[in-house]
Amino acid sequence: MFCAVIVAAGSSRRAGFDKLAAPLAGVPVLRRSVDAFVAAGCAAVVVVCPEERWQAVGLADASFAVPVLRVDGGAERQDSVEAGLNALPAGTRWVAVHDGARPLITAEGVQACLAAAQQTGAAACAHPIVDTLKRADAAGCTLPEKVSRDCLWGMETPQIFDVALLRRAYSCVSEQGLVVTDEVSAMESIGVATHLVQGGPNLKITLPGDLELAELIWSKRG
């Protein structure tokens, strides 16, 4: 059984507004993410978010073909992910962890990542870095250092795993007192490599301009 945990417990401080409740082509950003995982064939979706956001985006009154439920998040992202994992239905074999602020993920992108995970146990959407990279000092001035972009990837979500492997990884993170910002980093704590999958335009809404770009991409898809 394939299920999803959508992490949407953040405060949206950098955006200056609740980016997860903001409309993307008339539908809240968070709802777009939920819809993609329902369309991808998930047996259940766990949304980790405050009750106020759950109400604000209309999920409390929405009807889906599969169970979509809410749980509270924690102090750190990894705490929110663990809360979502604890709410998964019995019998879950594969779990996708997704940032609710990535509303451009498609059902096809989810399924491609799932197929890779089923081959290797661990897969994540990502994109190869194509920009020239520079390191700067605290004042924002470039340093005379060549930073190679060879084999560098920008991580995205969903990140999909055998649920037993991911639970073991988070147990290790907790035991060692580590702080991780994504599940690939958690898997590294137990020595498991993650296969990377390019899933198409999949930006994260962080700043107001990101929402405008997402609107443009969405309109081109339509």
Side-chain angles (χ1 to χ4, degrees), residues 100-117:
R102 291 189 186 273
L104 296 179
I105 190 64
T106 62
E108 293 77 14
V110 173
Q111 291 165 348
C113 191
L114 174 62

Side-chain angles (χ1 to χ4, degrees), residues 79-167:
D79 301 320
S80 294
V81 173
E82 288 201 86
L85 292 176
N86 290 337
L88 290 173
T92 300
R93 171 68 194 282
W94 301 97
V95 60
V97 180
H98 184 66
D99 290 329
R102 291 189 186 273
L104 296 179
I105 190 64
T106 62
E108 293 77 14
V110 173
Q111 291 165 348
C113 191
L114 174 62
Q118 289 172 332
Q119 291 293 318
T120 64
C125 286
H127 60 273
I129 299 299
V130 297
D131 295 322
T132 296
L133 299 175
K134 293 291 184 182
R135 197 180 306 280
D137 61 20
C141 296
T142 59
L143 297 172
E145 176 185 350
K146 183 177 181 181
V147 182
S148 174
R149 64 191 176 198
D150 291 347
C151 300
L152 288 184
W153 290 69
M155 300 310 301
E156 302 172 358
T157 64
Q159 300 183 357
I160 304 180
F161 308 93
D162 180 309
V163 71
L165 267 182
L166 187 58
R167 290 185 191 279

Side-chain angles (χ1 to χ4, degrees):
M1 184 163 59
F2 173 47
C3 297
V5 172
I6 298 181
V7 185
S11 62
S12 299
R13 285 191 305 270
R14 284 177 291 179
F17 60 95
D18 189 348
K19 62 188 181 184
L20 292 158
L24 172 59
V27 175
V29 164
L30 180 54
R31 174 65 188 260
R32 290 290 188 196
S33 290
V34 173
D35 287 344
F37 283 88
V38 172
C42 281
V45 177
V46 178
V47 181
V48 186
C49 74
E51 176 66 29
E52 310 86 82
R53 181 168 287 152
W54 180 255
Q55 297 285 343
V57 301
L59 289 172
D61 302 317
S63 177
F64 296 95
V66 300
V68 176
L69 58 123
R70 185 199 73 84
V71 296
D72 288 323
E76 302 289 343
R77 183 186 184 280
Q78 64 200 56
D79 301 320
S80 294
V81 173
E82 288 201 86
L85 292 176
N86 290 337
L88 290 173
T92 300
R93 171 68 194 282
W94 301 97
V95 60
V97 180
H98 184 66
D99 290 329
R102 291 189 186 273
L104 296 179
I105 190 64
T106 62
E108 293 77 14
V110 173
Q111 291 165 348
C113 191
L114 174 62
Q118 289 172 332
Q119 291 293 318
T120 64
C125 286
H127 60 273
I129 299 299
V130 297
D131 295 322
T132 296
L133 299 175
K134 293 291 184 182
R135 197 180 306 280
D137 61 20
C141 296
T142 59
L143 297 172
E145 176 185 350
K146 183 177 181 181
V147 182
S148 174
R149 64 191 176 198
D150 291 347
C151 300
L152 288 184
W153 290 69
M155 300 310 301
E156 302 172 358
T157 64
Q159 300 183 357
I160 304 180
F161 308 93
D162 180 309
V163 71
L165 267 182
L166 187 58
R167 290 185 191 279
R168 181 157 65 90
Y170 267 112
S171 291
C172 182
V173 165
S174 179
E175 290 167 4
Q176 296 184 24
L178 303 176
V179 175
V180 295
T181 56
D182 73 347
E183 286 57 60
V184 171
S185 300
M187 297 298 284
E188 289 170 352
S189 73
I190 59 171
V192 175
T194 300
H195 184 77
L196 303 181
V197 177
Q198 294 186 61
N202 187 20
L203 65 86
K204 185 177 182 180
I205 308 298
T206 304
L207 302 172
D210 298 331
L211 188 57
E212 296 176 12
L213 179 56
E215 285 273 6
L216 179 61
I217 295 172
W218 193 274
S219 68
K220 292 297 184 181
R221 283 181 179 174

